[in-house]
Amino acid sequence: MKLISWNVNGLRACMGKGFLEFAAKEQPDILCLQETKMQQGQAEVPLEGYQQYWCSAEKKGYSGTAVFTKTQPLSVQYNLGIPDHDHEGRVITAEYADFYLVTVYTPNSQEGLKRLDYRMQWEDAFRAYVKTLDTKKPVIICGDMNVAHQEIDLKNPKTNHESAGFSDAERAKMTELLAAGFVDTWRHFHPDTEGVYSWWSYRFRAREKNAGWRIDYFLVSERLLDRVTKTDILTDVFGSDHCPVVIEIA
């Protein structure tokens, strides 16, 4: 089973930059999107053979997640079920026979870390949520988690220390999440690989220089790790300031 996650930074814009052709070529069993920036129905997304599930922000043109799946889930839940966190369309949980799939678009702490306090509350709530799921069956978590966990996960760690996405507080929350029983699949299989990123600023020709960050993830419950047969980061796929990330499970 092939799963792909991609922050498309506006799905309508991405569809004009090869999104549909990419999906048709890759044919993932499940395709998870973040930062869709649209409500379902604002544009036709003609992916044949897929059921579509959307979780959009109340604010138009902001945030939002979507799941396209060839296999009908047993159940689908939107958001976390916590009013303080359920206005921005950041989480979809699809239940399958032997795992839960959670796609997430983690809040950005923003310039000057002005939203860091909220981000910390979100992190604790999200971790509690997926830990509860994990007591029932294994969990696959994917999406833009807005943090480069280790120095190896971004090009310029020293100059970006305490920037949004690389603050000590955000990195510590990722450490806590992994310690709760989850594995960063790409880093597990590529422990020493440098220079592979999933996001590049649109400024300063960052992608051309590969001055990027690895902030898009597939995490799995530890007991699911032996079913992971492949992980990939598709750095040659354009259409967004992020590139897709991939996992295959047996």
Side-chain angles (χ1 to χ4, degrees):
M1 175 180 281
K2 181 198 286 189
L3 294 79
I4 295 180
S5 176
W6 192 6
N7 178 321
V8 291
N9 191 14
L11 181 54
R12 286 169 290 183
C14 195
M15 283 197 293
K17 301 174 183 177
F19 170 81
L20 294 173
E21 293 81 0
F22 166 79
K25 175 188 173 187
E26 292 291 331
Q27 285 294 311
D29 296 283
I30 306 173
L31 174 60
C32 298
L33 307 180
Q34 304 86 44
E35 208 171 359
T36 55
K37 294 184 178 180
M38 61 178 283
Q39 313 286 321
Q40 185 175 13
Q42 282 190 288
E44 184 182 0
V45 187
L47 290 181
E48 288 189 22
Y50 290 90
Q51 297 189 43
Q52 303 183 16
Y53 300 91
W54 294 73
C55 186
S56 300
E58 293 175 5
K59 179 182 177 182
K60 296 289 179 67
Y62 177 74
S63 187
T65 47
V67 172
F68 296 79
T69 175
K70 291 182 177 181
T71 302
Q72 182 173 352
L74 301 177
S75 66
V76 177
Q77 178 177 322
Y78 302 100
N79 297 305
L80 297 178
I82 302 171
D84 286 349
H85 298 310
D86 287 358
H87 302 289
E88 297 181 347
R90 294 188 176 274
V91 179
I92 301 175
T93 303
E95 179 185 4
Y96 294 90
D98 51 357
F99 62 86
Y100 287 101
L101 173 69
V102 179
T103 192
V104 59
Y105 178 38
T106 302
N108 190 304
S109 294
Q110 299 183 353
E111 188 173 352
L113 300 178
K114 63 184 180 182
R115 211 181 186 199
L116 181 63
D117 288 347
Y118 173 71
R119 166 75 175 261
M120 295 296 98
Q121 297 170 27
W122 162 275
E123 292 278 4
D124 291 341
F126 182 75
R127 186 176 64 258
Y129 174 74
V130 294
K131 283 175 66 176
T132 298
L133 293 178
D134 192 47
T135 64
K136 303 171 186 176
K137 61 179 73 173
V139 182
I140 299 171
I141 303 167
C142 69
D144 174 2
M145 304 188 77
N146 261 317
V147 62
H149 186 216
Q150 304 291 351
E151 289 193 354
I152 196 174
D153 294 317
L154 72 166
K155 179 68 175 289
N156 297 307
K158 289 183 172 57
T159 56
N160 283 295
H161 182 228
E162 291 304 307
S163 297
F166 198 60
S167 68
D168 292 342
E170 292 164 310
R171 295 169 66 194
K173 289 299 183 186
M174 175 59 89
T175 298
E176 282 189 68
L177 178 58
L178 297 176
F182 299 96
V183 179
D184 173 357
T185 57
W186 197 86
R187 186 55 71 196
H188 175 82
F189 288 105
H190 307 87
D192 303 312
T193 301
E194 301 180 16
V196 179
Y197 308 118
S198 66
W199 173 78
W200 304 260
S201 171
Y202 278 134
R203 298 182 294 173
F204 312 122
R205 296 175 22 237
R207 191 157 187 174
E208 182 181 329
K209 300 174 183 176
N210 198 31
W213 301 48
R214 190 178 70 92
I215 60 176
D216 300 88
Y217 294 83
F218 268 101
L219 312 182
V220 300
S221 297
E222 290 174 351
R223 64 191 185 280
L224 200 61
L225 185 60
D226 62 356
R227 291 181 55 189
V228 177
T229 59
K230 181 180 179 181
T231 64
D232 206 355
I233 299 176
L234 304 181
T235 57
D236 58 344
V237 175
F238 291 78
S240 168
D241 51 351
H242 296 249
C243 73
V245 294
V246 184
I247 192 175
E248 293 185 16
I249 59 174

